[in-house]
Each structure stands twice: as structure tokens, then as C-alpha cells.
Amino acid sequence: MMGSLFIVAAPSGAGKTSLVNALVAGHDDIRLSVSHTTRPPRDGEQDGRDYHFVSQDVFAQMRGNGDFLESATVFDNSYGTSSKAVEALLEQGLDVILEIDWQGAQQVRNNFADSTGIFILPPSKATLEQRLRDRGQDNEEVIQRRMRDAENEISHYVEFDYLIVNDDFTEALDKLTAIIIAKRQALATQKHKQSALITELLA
Ligand code: 5GP
């Protein structure tokens, strides 16, 4: 039984990480893929949990070896998803969430036609900027650059299957969960899972 692959993208500050963490915390059959990055860890981030923090050399070597399902440069840092880790989870029948940018999403869609893309929007530009400031992790120059990059990220919303506005957190989480549950009930997933039942019912 293969699990399903979900891509969750958003401009930084849309609340994507909090939503995905809450989703995964409530469902032990949904796993978040841990990306590799050359970005230094922020306060409170843990190697192996939030990211695999690696040097540029290690990242380049992995990319050269074809270890990444997708990879991209975002804010001058490299990010990539390990193919092996994702495939191992899918083969166990677990649903996998990739929290990646639009460039990575395009690459994944080319390899996994059946993947589901979900795009998270902030309720307004002002809210987006406030959320970036509230994190207190980036200086003013970085915040202004992230606002410009947010506009670029948002311009790719049409490439996704679902759109969620993260205004009320609980409501947004419900919507995200509903998309994953609906996908699990899709015929393509269920016809394998329920093959014994269907055989019995039609016998
Ligand atoms: P941050 O540095 O704030 O954690 O992430 C910056 C951006 O990189 C976010 O848009 C995030 O979704 C994206 N990102 C994180 N991991 C990956 C990855 O493995 N691949 C790609 N393409 N983007 C990623």
C-alpha cells in the first residue's frame, strides 16, 4: 500500500509550518519530510527534526549523486528533499507532506503526477508582514526581502490544486486535514486498500 504525497507551499509568514506541525502532531500516519538545507539553524531549531543542516559541499555532493527528489535555491540558501526518505515513508503506506517552495513543487509534480498541491495564503499583506516581524528571527533587511519574495511565491498559486487562507488557525487546520482525508478516500487509494472487501461484496 502506497501512501500519498502532498506538497504544502506558502510565502514565509503565512503560518505554513505551524499548520503542518499541528496536522502531523494529530495524525501518526501523516509524516513531514525533513529537508536538507545549507541555511544555518535559527534559535530553537534542531538538526534532524526541523532540517538536516548540511554544508554547501555536502549539499552539492548529494545533488550530484541524484539524492534529491527536488532541490532549489531560496533566499540564497539551498534546500532539497531526499528521495530515499520520502519513498521509504510512502512504501510504508504513510502520507507524506513536503513543505517546499514553488520551484520544488514544479519538480515534484513532474515526478509524482498523483501528488496533491496545497497553497496557504495569509489573510492580508499587513498580517504577513506582522507575522514575519513577530518571529523576531530576521533583521529589517531580511524582512523586506522576504516580503518581496512572498509576492513572487504567491504569484505561483495557480499551479496548486487547493488554496487555504490562514486567517483563523483552527479553521485552516480543519481545511488542510479535510483535503488529506478526502484524498485517502479517493478511488485510486481505496481500490487497493479495500480489494479484499470488494472481492467479498461482489462474490
Ligand atoms: P525557511 O528557511 O524559512 O525554513 O524556508 C524558506 C523557504 O524554503 C520556504 O518557502 C520553504 O518552504 C522552502 N523550503 C524548505 N525546505 C525545502 C525543500 O526541501 N525544497 C524546496 N524546494 N524548498 C524548501
mmCIF file of all heavy atoms in Angstrom, residues 43-77:
data_model
loop_
_atom_site.group_PDB
_atom_site.id
_atom_site.type_symbol
_atom_site.label_atom_id
_atom_site.label_comp_id
_atom_site.label_asym_id
_atom_site.label_seq_id
_atom_site.Cartn_x
_atom_site.Cartn_y
_atom_site.Cartn_z
ATOM 1 N N ASP A 43 17.313 30.024 16.100
ATOM 2 C CA ASP A 43 17.162 29.694 17.531
ATOM 3 C C ASP A 43 16.034 28.688 17.700
ATOM 4 O O ASP A 43 14.941 28.892 17.172
ATOM 5 C CB ASP A 43 16.825 30.955 18.340
ATOM 6 C CG ASP A 43 18.074 31.738 18.670
ATOM 7 O OD1 ASP A 43 19.191 31.240 18.389
ATOM 8 O OD2 ASP A 43 17.931 32.866 19.192
ATOM 9 N N GLY A 44 16.306 27.622 18.424
ATOM 10 C CA GLY A 44 15.262 26.637 18.722
ATOM 11 C C GLY A 44 15.138 25.547 17.676
ATOM 12 O O GLY A 44 14.438 24.568 17.906
ATOM 13 N N GLU A 45 15.785 25.709 16.534
ATOM 14 C CA GLU A 45 15.707 24.662 15.508
ATOM 15 C C GLU A 45 16.695 23.544 15.822
ATOM 16 O O GLU A 45 17.804 23.801 16.281
ATOM 17 C CB GLU A 45 16.002 25.244 14.115
ATOM 18 C CG GLU A 45 14.818 25.982 13.532
ATOM 19 C CD GLU A 45 15.067 26.462 12.106
ATOM 20 O OE1 GLU A 45 16.236 26.694 11.752
ATOM 21 O OE2 GLU A 45 14.087 26.635 11.382
ATOM 22 N N GLN A 46 16.243 22.315 15.540
ATOM 23 C CA GLN A 46 17.059 21.143 15.862
ATOM 24 C C GLN A 46 17.428 20.372 14.607
ATOM 25 O O GLN A 46 16.560 20.127 13.760
ATOM 26 C CB GLN A 46 16.229 20.222 16.743
ATOM 27 C CG GLN A 46 16.767 20.022 18.142
ATOM 28 C CD GLN A 46 15.843 19.121 18.919
ATOM 29 O OE1 GLN A 46 15.544 18.000 18.493
ATOM 30 N NE2 GLN A 46 15.360 19.618 20.046
ATOM 31 N N ASP A 47 18.697 20.004 14.522
ATOM 32 C CA ASP A 47 19.166 19.219 13.375
ATOM 33 C C ASP A 47 18.463 17.865 13.378
ATOM 34 O O ASP A 47 18.379 17.209 14.417
ATOM 35 C CB ASP A 47 20.686 19.033 13.470
ATOM 36 C CG ASP A 47 21.249 18.365 12.220
ATOM 37 O OD1 ASP A 47 20.790 18.699 11.113
ATOM 38 O OD2 ASP A 47 22.120 17.496 12.364
ATOM 39 N N GLY A 48 17.938 17.465 12.221
ATOM 40 C CA GLY A 48 17.270 16.166 12.121
ATOM 41 C C GLY A 48 15.774 16.266 12.395
ATOM 42 O O GLY A 48 15.018 15.402 11.994
ATOM 43 N N ARG A 49 15.339 17.303 13.095
ATOM 44 C CA ARG A 49 13.909 17.478 13.369
ATOM 45 C C ARG A 49 13.321 18.546 12.439
ATOM 46 O O ARG A 49 12.371 18.295 11.710
ATOM 47 C CB ARG A 49 13.684 17.885 14.832
ATOM 48 C CG ARG A 49 12.200 17.949 15.208
ATOM 49 C CD ARG A 49 11.960 18.675 16.516
ATOM 50 N NE ARG A 49 12.350 20.078 16.441
ATOM 51 C CZ ARG A 49 12.325 20.914 17.483
ATOM 52 N NH1 ARG A 49 11.966 20.492 18.672
ATOM 53 N NH2 ARG A 49 12.681 22.177 17.331
ATOM 54 N N ASP A 50 13.925 19.741 12.451
ATOM 55 C CA ASP A 50 13.420 20.824 11.597
ATOM 56 C C ASP A 50 14.012 20.733 10.189
ATOM 57 O O ASP A 50 13.308 20.926 9.199
ATOM 58 C CB ASP A 50 13.752 22.170 12.229
ATOM 59 C CG ASP A 50 13.109 22.294 13.599
ATOM 60 O OD1 ASP A 50 11.889 22.454 13.649
ATOM 61 O OD2 ASP A 50 13.835 22.177 14.615
ATOM 62 N N TYR A 51 15.284 20.475 10.134
ATOM 63 C CA TYR A 51 16.017 20.295 8.869
ATOM 64 C C TYR A 51 17.196 19.383 9.149
ATOM 65 O O TYR A 51 17.601 19.223 10.303
ATOM 66 C CB TYR A 51 16.598 21.644 8.384
ATOM 67 C CG TYR A 51 15.618 22.563 7.694
ATOM 68 C CD1 TYR A 51 15.103 23.676 8.358
ATOM 69 C CD2 TYR A 51 15.231 22.347 6.377
ATOM 70 C CE1 TYR A 51 14.210 24.544 7.723
ATOM 71 C CE2 TYR A 51 14.338 23.204 5.736
ATOM 72 C CZ TYR A 51 13.834 24.294 6.420
ATOM 73 O OH TYR A 51 12.958 25.144 5.795
ATOM 74 N N HIS A 52 17.769 18.843 8.087
ATOM 75 C CA HIS A 52 19.114 18.297 8.164
ATOM 76 C C HIS A 52 20.005 19.448 7.724
ATOM 77 O O HIS A 52 19.977 19.836 6.550
ATOM 78 C CB HIS A 52 19.280 17.097 7.224
ATOM 79 C CG HIS A 52 18.373 15.950 7.560
ATOM 80 N ND1 HIS A 52 18.536 15.189 8.702
ATOM 81 C CD2 HIS A 52 17.288 15.450 6.931
ATOM 82 C CE1 HIS A 52 17.586 14.258 8.737
ATOM 83 N NE2 HIS A 52 16.807 14.408 7.684
ATOM 84 N N PHE A 53 20.737 20.041 8.664
ATOM 85 C CA PHE A 53 21.599 21.179 8.340
ATOM 86 C C PHE A 53 22.932 20.652 7.820
ATOM 87 O O PHE A 53 23.632 19.946 8.548
ATOM 88 C CB PHE A 53 21.788 22.057 9.583
ATOM 89 C CG PHE A 53 20.507 22.707 10.050
ATOM 90 C CD1 PHE A 53 19.782 22.175 11.116
ATOM 91 C CD2 PHE A 53 20.007 23.833 9.409
ATOM 92 C CE1 PHE A 53 18.591 22.756 11.539
ATOM 93 C CE2 PHE A 53 18.810 24.420 9.828
ATOM 94 C CZ PHE A 53 18.106 23.884 10.899
ATOM 95 N N VAL A 54 23.236 20.985 6.572
ATOM 96 C CA VAL A 54 24.458 20.455 5.968
ATOM 97 C C VAL A 54 25.280 21.587 5.330
ATOM 98 O O VAL A 54 24.763 22.673 5.064
ATOM 99 C CB VAL A 54 24.150 19.380 4.884
ATOM 100 C CG1 VAL A 54 23.515 18.146 5.508
ATOM 101 C CG2 VAL A 54 23.264 19.943 3.770
ATOM 102 N N SER A 55 26.560 21.311 5.099
ATOM 103 C CA SER A 55 27.442 22.291 4.455
ATOM 104 C C SER A 55 27.115 22.362 2.958
ATOM 105 O O SER A 55 26.466 21.463 2.416
ATOM 106 C CB SER A 55 28.896 21.864 4.640
ATOM 107 O OG SER A 55 29.112 20.660 3.923
ATOM 108 N N GLN A 56 27.610 23.416 2.312
ATOM 109 C CA GLN A 56 27.412 23.549 0.866
ATOM 110 C C GLN A 56 28.048 22.386 0.116
ATOM 111 O O GLN A 56 27.505 21.919 -0.883
ATOM 112 C CB GLN A 56 28.032 24.866 0.389
ATOM 113 C CG GLN A 56 27.514 26.051 1.188
ATOM 114 C CD GLN A 56 27.174 27.244 0.329
ATOM 115 O OE1 GLN A 56 27.349 27.224 -0.880
ATOM 116 N NE2 GLN A 56 26.671 28.293 0.957
ATOM 117 N N ASP A 57 29.196 21.920 0.638
ATOM 118 C CA ASP A 57 29.894 20.802 -0.013
ATOM 119 C C ASP A 57 29.053 19.535 0.027
ATOM 120 O O ASP A 57 28.913 18.843 -0.985
ATOM 121 C CB ASP A 57 31.237 20.524 0.672
ATOM 122 C CG ASP A 57 32.295 21.530 0.248
ATOM 123 O OD1 ASP A 57 32.008 22.330 -0.676
ATOM 124 O OD2 ASP A 57 33.389 21.518 0.845
ATOM 125 N N VAL A 58 28.514 19.230 1.209
ATOM 126 C CA VAL A 58 27.691 18.022 1.358
ATOM 127 C C VAL A 58 26.457 18.129 0.471
ATOM 128 O O VAL A 58 26.081 17.182 -0.222
ATOM 129 C CB VAL A 58 27.299 17.783 2.842
ATOM 130 C CG1 VAL A 58 26.212 16.726 2.971
ATOM 131 C CG2 VAL A 58 28.523 17.387 3.658
ATOM 132 N N PHE A 59 25.843 19.324 0.450
ATOM 133 C CA PHE A 59 24.641 19.513 -0.354
ATOM 134 C C PHE A 59 24.945 19.288 -1.839
ATOM 135 O O PHE A 59 24.220 18.567 -2.537
ATOM 136 C CB PHE A 59 24.056 20.921 -0.137
ATOM 137 C CG PHE A 59 22.667 21.067 -0.682
ATOM 138 C CD1 PHE A 59 21.558 20.865 0.140
ATOM 139 C CD2 PHE A 59 22.449 21.375 -2.020
ATOM 140 C CE1 PHE A 59 20.269 20.974 -0.363
ATOM 141 C CE2 PHE A 59 21.157 21.475 -2.529
ATOM 142 C CZ PHE A 59 20.067 21.289 -1.702
ATOM 143 N N ALA A 60 26.052 19.887 -2.303
ATOM 144 C CA ALA A 60 26.430 19.768 -3.725
ATOM 145 C C ALA A 60 26.704 18.309 -4.084
ATOM 146 O O ALA A 60 26.335 17.842 -5.163
ATOM 147 C CB ALA A 60 27.653 20.630 -4.006
ATOM 148 N N GLN A 61 27.317 17.600 -3.141
ATOM 149 C CA GLN A 61 27.626 16.188 -3.376
ATOM 150 C C GLN A 61 26.336 15.364 -3.487
ATOM 151 O O GLN A 61 26.191 14.535 -4.381
ATOM 152 C CB GLN A 61 28.468 15.679 -2.203
ATOM 153 C CG GLN A 61 29.228 14.416 -2.504
ATOM 154 C CD GLN A 61 30.040 13.972 -1.281
ATOM 155 O OE1 GLN A 61 30.289 14.760 -0.365
ATOM 156 N NE2 GLN A 61 30.439 12.719 -1.271
ATOM 157 N N MET A 62 25.387 15.645 -2.579
ATOM 158 C CA MET A 62 24.105 14.932 -2.618
ATOM 159 C C MET A 62 23.368 15.218 -3.926
ATOM 160 O O MET A 62 22.804 14.323 -4.545
ATOM 161 C CB MET A 62 23.218 15.339 -1.426
ATOM 162 C CG MET A 62 23.696 14.785 -0.090
ATOM 163 S SD MET A 62 22.549 15.210 1.242
ATOM 164 C CE MET A 62 21.169 14.107 0.895
ATOM 165 N N ARG A 63 23.408 16.495 -4.333
ATOM 166 C CA ARG A 63 22.718 16.852 -5.576
ATOM 167 C C ARG A 63 23.360 16.131 -6.761
ATOM 168 O O ARG A 63 22.681 15.596 -7.624
ATOM 169 C CB ARG A 63 22.731 18.368 -5.784
ATOM 170 C CG ARG A 63 21.904 18.778 -6.988
ATOM 171 C CD ARG A 63 21.340 20.174 -6.910
ATOM 172 N NE ARG A 63 22.360 21.159 -6.567
ATOM 173 C CZ ARG A 63 22.087 22.390 -6.178
ATOM 174 N NH1 ARG A 63 20.842 22.791 -6.067
ATOM 175 N NH2 ARG A 63 23.047 23.228 -5.874
ATOM 176 N N GLY A 64 24.697 16.109 -6.742
ATOM 177 C CA GLY A 64 25.443 15.427 -7.806
ATOM 178 C C GLY A 64 25.127 13.942 -7.870
ATOM 179 O O GLY A 64 25.089 13.345 -8.948
ATOM 180 N N ASN A 65 24.907 13.345 -6.697
ATOM 181 C CA ASN A 65 24.587 11.910 -6.626
ATOM 182 C C ASN A 65 23.147 11.604 -7.029
ATOM 183 O O ASN A 65 22.754 10.441 -7.062
ATOM 184 C CB ASN A 65 24.768 11.380 -5.192
ATOM 185 C CG ASN A 65 26.228 11.317 -4.790
ATOM 186 O OD1 ASN A 65 27.107 11.354 -5.637
ATOM 187 N ND2 ASN A 65 26.475 11.240 -3.485
ATOM 188 N N GLY A 66 22.350 12.653 -7.262
ATOM 189 C CA GLY A 66 20.939 12.445 -7.596
ATOM 190 C C GLY A 66 20.112 12.024 -6.385
ATOM 191 O O GLY A 66 19.101 11.334 -6.521
ATOM 192 N N ASP A 67 20.557 12.445 -5.188
ATOM 193 C CA ASP A 67 19.850 12.055 -3.960
ATOM 194 C C ASP A 67 18.544 12.813 -3.744
ATOM 195 O O ASP A 67 17.737 12.423 -2.910
ATOM 196 C CB ASP A 67 20.735 12.312 -2.720
ATOM 197 C CG ASP A 67 21.903 11.342 -2.653
ATOM 198 O OD1 ASP A 67 21.892 10.354 -3.406
ATOM 199 O OD2 ASP A 67 22.824 11.584 -1.838
ATOM 200 N N PHE A 68 18.360 13.934 -4.467
ATOM 201 C CA PHE A 68 17.188 14.773 -4.192
ATOM 202 C C PHE A 68 16.039 14.542 -5.175
ATOM 203 O O PHE A 68 16.231 14.493 -6.380
ATOM 204 C CB PHE A 68 17.577 16.254 -4.208
ATOM 205 C CG PHE A 68 18.479 16.654 -3.076
ATOM 206 C CD1 PHE A 68 19.669 17.326 -3.329
ATOM 207 C CD2 PHE A 68 18.149 16.367 -1.766
ATOM 208 C CE1 PHE A 68 20.510 17.709 -2.283
ATOM 209 C CE2 PHE A 68 18.973 16.741 -0.703
ATOM 210 C CZ PHE A 68 20.159 17.420 -0.968
ATOM 211 N N LEU A 69 14.864 14.417 -4.600
ATOM 212 C CA LEU A 69 13.622 14.344 -5.371
ATOM 213 C C LEU A 69 13.375 15.695 -6.038
ATOM 214 O O LEU A 69 12.832 15.791 -7.138
ATOM 215 C CB LEU A 69 12.493 14.028 -4.373
ATOM 216 C CG LEU A 69 11.058 13.956 -4.807
ATOM 217 C CD1 LEU A 69 10.889 12.816 -5.780
ATOM 218 C CD2 LEU A 69 10.163 13.738 -3.589
ATOM 219 N N GLU A 70 13.764 16.752 -5.332
ATOM 220 C CA GLU A 70 13.702 18.127 -5.836
ATOM 221 C C GLU A 70 14.684 18.932 -5.018
ATOM 222 O O GLU A 70 14.979 18.587 -3.877
ATOM 223 C CB GLU A 70 12.280 18.702 -5.711
ATOM 224 C CG GLU A 70 11.744 18.800 -4.296
ATOM 225 C CD GLU A 70 12.305 19.938 -3.482
ATOM 226 O OE1 GLU A 70 12.634 20.975 -4.060
ATOM 227 O OE2 GLU A 70 12.452 19.773 -2.252
ATOM 228 N N SER A 71 15.174 20.023 -5.610
ATOM 229 C CA SER A 71 16.019 20.937 -4.838
ATOM 230 C C SER A 71 15.904 22.329 -5.448
ATOM 231 O O SER A 71 15.534 22.473 -6.623
ATOM 232 C CB SER A 71 17.468 20.468 -4.831
ATOM 233 O OG SER A 71 17.990 20.502 -6.134
ATOM 234 N N ALA A 72 16.172 23.336 -4.631
ATOM 235 C CA ALA A 72 16.038 24.712 -5.109
ATOM 236 C C ALA A 72 16.855 25.652 -4.250
ATOM 237 O O ALA A 72 17.223 25.318 -3.118
ATOM 238 C CB ALA A 72 14.566 25.130 -5.069
ATOM 239 N N THR A 73 17.115 26.840 -4.803
ATOM 240 C CA THR A 73 17.767 27.895 -4.036
ATOM 241 C C THR A 73 16.703 28.897 -3.629
ATOM 242 O O THR A 73 15.958 29.384 -4.476
ATOM 243 C CB THR A 73 18.857 28.579 -4.881
ATOM 244 O OG1 THR A 73 19.794 27.572 -5.266
ATOM 245 C CG2 THR A 73 19.573 29.659 -4.103
ATOM 246 N N VAL A 74 16.585 29.124 -2.325
ATOM 247 C CA VAL A 74 15.598 30.068 -1.794
ATOM 248 C C VAL A 74 16.340 30.987 -0.819
ATOM 249 O O VAL A 74 17.038 30.485 0.080
ATOM 250 C CB VAL A 74 14.469 29.327 -1.019
ATOM 251 C CG1 VAL A 74 13.358 30.300 -0.631
ATOM 252 C CG2 VAL A 74 13.897 28.167 -1.819
ATOM 253 N N PHE A 75 16.210 32.302 -0.988
ATOM 254 C CA PHE A 75 16.913 33.273 -0.120
ATOM 255 C C PHE A 75 18.403 32.951 -0.031
ATOM 256 O O PHE A 75 18.967 32.921 1.076
ATOM 257 C CB PHE A 75 16.337 33.292 1.308
ATOM 258 C CG PHE A 75 14.841 33.363 1.389
ATOM 259 C CD1 PHE A 75 14.131 32.384 2.079
ATOM 260 C CD2 PHE A 75 14.132 34.390 0.791
ATOM 261 C CE1 PHE A 75 12.754 32.441 2.170
ATOM 262 C CE2 PHE A 75 12.750 34.452 0.878
ATOM 263 C CZ PHE A 75 12.059 33.478 1.564
ATOM 264 N N ASP A 76 19.047 32.656 -1.139
ATOM 265 C CA ASP A 76 20.500 32.393 -1.192
ATOM 266 C C ASP A 76 20.927 31.076 -0.547
ATOM 267 O O ASP A 76 22.119 30.775 -0.502
ATOM 268 C CB ASP A 76 21.323 33.524 -0.541
ATOM 269 C CG ASP A 76 21.124 34.841 -1.268
ATOM 270 O OD1 ASP A 76 20.828 34.797 -2.481
ATOM 271 O OD2 ASP A 76 21.247 35.885 -0.618
ATOM 272 N N ASN A 77 19.997 30.317 0.000
ATOM 273 C CA ASN A 77 20.361 29.025 0.584
ATOM 274 C C ASN A 77 19.781 27.899 -0.262
ATOM 275 O O ASN A 77 18.780 28.087 -0.948
ATOM 276 C CB ASN A 77 19.827 28.910 2.021
ATOM 277 C CG ASN A 77 20.452 29.942 2.934
ATOM 278 O OD1 ASN A 77 21.675 29.995 3.070
ATOM 279 N ND2 ASN A 77 19.633 30.774 3.539
#
